[in-house]
Each structure stands twice: as structure tokens, then as C-alpha cells.
Amino acid sequence: MTRVLVVEDDPQLVRALVINMQARRYGVDAAPDGTTALRLAAVRRPDVVVLDLGLPDMDGVEVIKALRGWTRTPILVLSARRASEEKVAALDAGADDYITKPFGMDELLARLRAAVRRTEALPLAREATVTTDDFTVDLLAKKAGRDGRDIRLTPTEWHLLEILVCNPGRLVTQKELLVAVWGPAYATRTNYLRVYMAQLRRKLEADPAHPRYLITEPGMGYRFES
Ligand code: CA
């Protein structure tokens, strides 16, 4: 059974989450604050954590940092609308995904399934070829191709693509990409990303103006949709 830890101080939302998750055979623990969440996480070892960022006793980002000290369990953040900086801080601290309140229960459950699936698929993804309708990415050979022909990528383009493809469905923040590809001194050079992502789309997407695979999350980062 997949165990979920719900960290949320709104009792009505907790009730709705617990009912919906239990109906889908998740085992659910609920914590109304950060202190309880950290204790329950240590004791119950959840497979995924759903975490509200606005908690009564501590900042949700602090909860993420504390969890990341010892666990790679996926963390799905619940965040208030328009709090973009808060989302970025949560993602940089180690959250895997976020959903903006108010959200539909179906979307939350879909993201929960995706988070669990990613952890299950992670060791395999590194050895696999990622195939889309329009191109393939061979992570071992470090090659992209279409219709049996190689798509020529520069090392920088490849590095960006590799990070995104290894995190299918997950938002990778601008900062994560910039630091990983160019280094910490370039953490705010988002214009680099715009240029290189445009090049990648021209090479990979059937319709670069309306990308299907290399998705921009405005102000946040990028997501590979397979
Ligand atoms: Ca709250």
C-alpha cells in the first residue's frame, strides 16, 4: 500500500483529501502542523508527502529542508495562488511538484500518482530510450533522433534536454537548470534558458511555436511531457 502523509492545517481540506485518498486505497496520515509532520514522517516513512506551505508553526519550506536532510520521498506542495516566489523556494528546497489552491481533487490525485510512479521508474529511466511521437532520446548513447536520423545537439542543448527528460512530468526550476548546466554563477541568467530552449524546440518539436514536449512554466521553469 502506498502511504501518503498529508500536512495541512485546514481541517475541511484534510477531510476531503483523506476520504479521496482512502477511496483509492492509499494509506493516509494527516498532520496539522510542521512539527507533527516531521515526527510522523520519521515514524511512518510515507511514500509521498502532500505539504501545505502555510502552516501554523513553521514555514512549509523549512519542513521540506528538514525532510530532505534524510529522505528522497517525493513532496507535492500545496500553494496559494500567485505566490510564485514561495513555489520557487519550495522547489529549490527539494519539493518535486506543486499544485495551486484551489485545485481539483482529480488533478491532485493525478499528480500524486505521477509522483509515486516517478520514484518507481527512476532507476530504469537512466538506462532507457525515451520515445515520443516526434523524436527519441537515447540517454545511454547521449543521442536524440527522428525517423532513424540523428538530431544534432550541442553539448549545452544535450545537457538541458537530458535533465528534463530524466524528470518526466516534473517542473525543473530555472535555477536548477542554470546551476546544473552553466554553474552557480549563472543562477539568475534566465535569458540563457530562453535562448537554448528555443533552439531545442526548433530541433525537436514538430511545431516549435506550440511545444508539446518542452513546456514552459512561466516564471518558474520547464517541464518535459512525454
Ligand atoms: Ca494553511
Side-chain angles (χ1 to χ4, degrees), residues 119-198:
T119 53
E120 289 167 353
L122 221 50
L124 288 175
R126 292 230 137 249
E127 300 167 32
T129 298
V130 177
T131 305
T132 72
D133 290 346
D134 294 309
F135 58 88
T136 57
V137 180
D138 185 334
L139 291 166
L140 277 188
K142 295 190 178 289
K143 276 168 33 174
R146 178 186 0 249
D147 305 328
R149 280 196 300 272
D150 285 354
I151 298 171
R152 285 181 174 277
L153 298 177
T154 67
T156 302
E157 290 166 354
W158 171 262
H159 202 161
L160 273 176
L161 181 65
E162 183 181 41
I163 294 169
L164 291 168
V165 164
C166 285
N167 291 279
R170 179 181 154 234
L171 170 66
V172 185
T173 63
Q174 295 169 338
K175 188 175 164 189
E176 270 181 85
L177 288 169
L178 287 163
V179 169
V181 177
W182 284 275
Y186 296 82
T188 59
R189 300 289 189 89
T190 52
N191 56 318
Y192 283 31
L193 290 174
R194 275 194 295 278
V195 170
Y196 278 89
M197 291 303 293

Side-chain angles (χ1 to χ4, degrees), residues 181-225:
V181 177
W182 284 275
Y186 296 82
T188 59
R189 300 289 189 89
T190 52
N191 56 318
Y192 283 31
L193 290 174
R194 275 194 295 278
V195 170
Y196 278 89
M197 291 303 293
Q199 284 174 203
L200 271 178
R201 286 187 181 122
R202 271 199 296 277
K203 293 182 178 183
L204 298 173
E205 296 272 0
D207 180 0
H210 301 96
R212 200 178 142 189
Y213 307 103
L214 302 170
I215 309 299
T216 301
E217 297 261 357
M220 308 275 298
Y222 298 87
R223 191 192 289 273
F224 172 70
E225 294 292 348

Side-chain angles (χ1 to χ4, degrees), residues 63-78:
V63 177
I64 297 169
K65 287 179 184 164
L67 287 174
R68 282 293 171 255
W70 60 273
T71 177
R72 291 301 313 158
T73 293
I75 301 171
L76 172 57
V77 160
L78 310 178

